[in-house]
Amino acid sequence: MEHTEQYRDGKLCASLAGQITSMCTEDMRIMEVCGTHTVSIFRHGIRTLLPRSLSLISGPGCPVCVTDQAELDAFIEIANMPDTILATFGDLMRVPATGSSLEKEKARGKDIRMVYSTMDALALARANPDRQVVFAGVGFETTAPTIAASILAAHAENLSNYSVYCAHKLVPPALEALMGLSGVEIHGFLLPGHVSVIIGGQAYASFFEKHRIPCVIAGFEPADMLMGIQELTEMISSNTPGLENAYGRAVSWQGNPRAQKVMDRVFKTANARWRGLGEIAKSGLSIREEFAAFDAARRFSIDPRPAAAPAGCACGEVLTGRCLPPDCRLYGTACTPADPLGPCMVSSEGTCAAYWKYNR
């Protein structure tokens, strides 16, 4: 607790905010890539400490929000298969797929279980040997190693009724895609802390060298985020871009080699479709041939067809910084936390949900 409190010190935060204000002599737009950053910035009132000339815009770092509509439909398809249990993290339950959601399918009697880890899903498979257990694999480099570990465990136990539908995304290719997106002005990136714990600062090096745009890895406490923003504003105002790590107590340049090894053993890079960004080359993960028996897409011959996002939903624009939640004509009217139309209003890391909770 004491260790956490020092990163919430009011005087330190006020000092950092003052330094940021003194350097913001021109308009600056900084994208916090991570959904956890978005929520934490609102929760701690960071925006109220910053000058009007500094805009924080949300990025595609919410794993549920960037999951493509076709992948959501695939989860529904799996849930409707006989003798099947779909295991999922809770955030996916209320996200609207085309014409339904996992929550609605569960209410209709489909066997959909919320789990807190992939090991819970493995336990389901062991306890139900006469049924197929499929884990809905979404998320970034943060969760991919644990899901890879579950496949290795299932392989070691020769479990024949466990598989994963792999819809994982990788953060660095998304940054590259954002730089090529028209209508998005970004002067610096606040890079995600927990993804960086796994992949390390080195993972952004080629991106930075190509674009020479300020990039800072930051943690999630108020002082962590303000320190990251302070470094970014200093780089922007002095036109001295760099790739820096303001979360040194958790993130190293090399990242976590053991987690990377587990992830590389099971997965290989693949093209992936992102909500708001479309298909990005080598921005996702697929299961290697060696572990094909644990690939739900192959086991059940699932070939998702392209699917459109809900009509009028601006989640794709919101999570790429092209608009703010209140700019969406559905925000607060047809789309609310009680009756969401888009994933950004559902997920605990969603930008629309954060605006609704903290910015009304």
Side-chain angles (χ1 to χ4, degrees):
M1 186 64 182
E2 183 181 348
H3 183 65
T4 301
E5 286 303 310
Q6 64 182 300
Y7 299 102
R8 298 180 179 179
D9 181 85
K11 290 183 179 178
L12 173 60
C13 291
S15 174
L16 289 166
Q19 294 173 46
I20 292 168
T21 300
S22 69
M23 286 184 285
C24 278
T25 56
E26 55 187 314
D27 288 344
M28 298 182 185
R29 285 170 59 87
I30 291 174
M31 174 175 278
E32 80 269 5
V33 177
C34 177
T36 307
H37 272 152
T38 297
V39 174
S40 192
I41 284 168
F42 274 113
R43 181 184 298 134
H44 294 292
I46 298 294
R47 287 172 183 266
T48 63
L49 300 175
L50 302 178
R52 290 180 178 272
S53 55
L54 176 58
S55 299
L56 295 178
I57 53 176
S58 301
C62 163
V64 169
C65 302
V66 297
T67 299
D68 188 65
Q69 196 76 9
E71 293 168 332
L72 297 170
D73 291 347
F75 297 143
I76 300 292
E77 182 180 349
I78 292 169
N80 278 283
M81 291 181 174
D83 299 322
T84 298
I85 301 171
L86 182 76
T88 178
F89 294 139
D91 267 9
L92 270 180
M93 290 294 290
R94 299 181 65 232
V95 180
T98 305
S100 188
S101 69
L102 293 177
E103 184 179 58
K104 290 178 180 175
E105 293 304 312
K106 185 176 177 66
R108 292 168 182 154
K110 308 306 178 188
D111 199 345
I112 300 167
R113 314 275 186 98
M114 283 192 293
V115 295
Y116 293 99
S117 76
T118 52
M119 295 302 142
D120 292 341
L122 270 181
L124 275 175
R126 296 188 192 103
N128 297 274
D130 55 341
R131 304 181 66 190
Q132 291 291 325
V133 175
V134 181
F135 182 77
V138 303
F140 300 110
E141 295 93 331
T142 321
T143 53
T146 64
I147 295 172
S150 78
I151 291 176
L152 291 177
H155 182 260
E157 296 177 37
N158 200 26
L159 272 180
S160 61
N161 67 326
Y162 177 75
S163 59
V164 173
Y165 186 89
C166 189
H168 284 92
K169 309 287 191 293
L170 302 174
V171 168
L175 301 179
E176 186 69 42
L178 283 166
M179 295 302 292
L181 208 60
S182 62
V184 181
E185 186 179 17
I186 302 169
H187 300 128
F189 285 104
L190 195 68
L191 297 173
H194 35 33
V195 163
S196 303
V197 167
I198 303 298
I199 64 178
Q202 62 178 351
Y204 309 103
S206 60
F207 167 77
F208 171 72
E209 289 302 326
K210 179 177 178 181
H211 295 285
R212 306 297 294 178
I213 184 171
C215 295
V216 177
I217 300 165
F220 301 97
E221 295 297 334
D224 287 324
M225 292 179 287
L226 285 166
M227 192 178 301
I229 295 168
Q230 186 270 340
E231 289 195 29
L232 285 169
T233 53
E234 185 173 1
M235 289 182 201
I236 296 168
S237 62
S238 62
N239 195 27
T240 55
L243 169 58
E244 300 293 341
N245 179 14
Y247 197 26
R249 68 182 186 278
V251 176
S252 67
W253 183 250
Q254 294 80 15
N256 184 328
R258 187 173 181 184
Q260 293 167 17
K261 185 177 180 180
V262 170
M263 194 162 55
D264 291 343
R265 171 87 194 283
V266 174
F267 297 126
K268 60 182 179 182
T269 57
N271 296 350
R273 287 195 62 81
W274 297 57
R275 188 183 299 268
L277 288 168
E279 182 167 310
I280 306 174
K282 298 181 179 180
S283 67
L285 296 174
S286 64
I287 297 172
R288 293 185 183 277
E289 287 295 328
E290 180 183 353
F291 301 102
F294 302 96
D295 185 344
R298 283 187 262 196
R299 177 177 290 189
F300 302 107
S301 300
I302 298 170
D303 186 16
R305 290 172 293 181
C313 175
C315 279
E317 286 74 19
V318 169
L319 53 83
T320 52
R322 287 176 286 185
C323 79
L324 299 176
D327 298 329
C328 174
R329 62 184 175 85
L330 304 181
Y331 176 82
T333 55
C335 183
T336 65
D339 189 18
L341 283 180
C344 293
M345 188 60 92
V346 180
S347 172
S348 60
E349 297 181 14
T351 306
C352 296
Y355 263 76
W356 183 269
K357 186 173 183 178
Y358 297 106
N359 201 48
R360 286 190 296 158

